[in-house]
C-alpha cells in the first residue's frame, strides 16, 4: 500500500465523499462532516490535493455519469 495510516484514512474518506457528492443532494459541508472532516475548508483542501479537482467541479463532471 505504501501509505501511512493517516493517508490511508484520508483516502477512505475522500472515496466515500466522492460517492456522496454524486449520489446525494447533501451540501459539501454536510458531506465533509459525514465522512469525518472537521470542516468544509479542510475537506475541500484535501479533496483538491487528492484529485486536482474541487468537490464542486468533481460533482459537475461525474454526477450525471
Amino acid at each position: 500500500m505504501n501509505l501511512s495510516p493517516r493517508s490511508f484514512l484520508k483516502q477512505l474518506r475522500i472515496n466515500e465523499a466522492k460517492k456522496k457528492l454524486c449520489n446525494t443532494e447533501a451540501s459539501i459541508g454536510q458531506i465533509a462532516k459525514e465522512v469525518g472532516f472537521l470542516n468544509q475548508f479542510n475537506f475541500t483542501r484535501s479533496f483538491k490535493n487528492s484529485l486536482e479537482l474541487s468537490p464542486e467541479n468533481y460533482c459537475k463532471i461525474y454526477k450525471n455519469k
Side-chain angles (χ1 to χ4, degrees), residues 21-52:
L21 284 168
C22 291
N23 297 315
T24 68
E25 296 299 320
S27 70
I28 292 171
Q30 185 178 358
I31 290 171
K33 288 181 182 179
E34 287 176 8
V35 299
F37 284 88
L38 294 176
N39 58 52
Q40 184 176 340
F41 175 77
N42 287 337
F43 168 67
T44 299
R45 185 179 56 203
S46 292
F47 195 94
K48 216 170 179 180
N49 286 340
S50 293
L51 299 171
E52 298 182 1

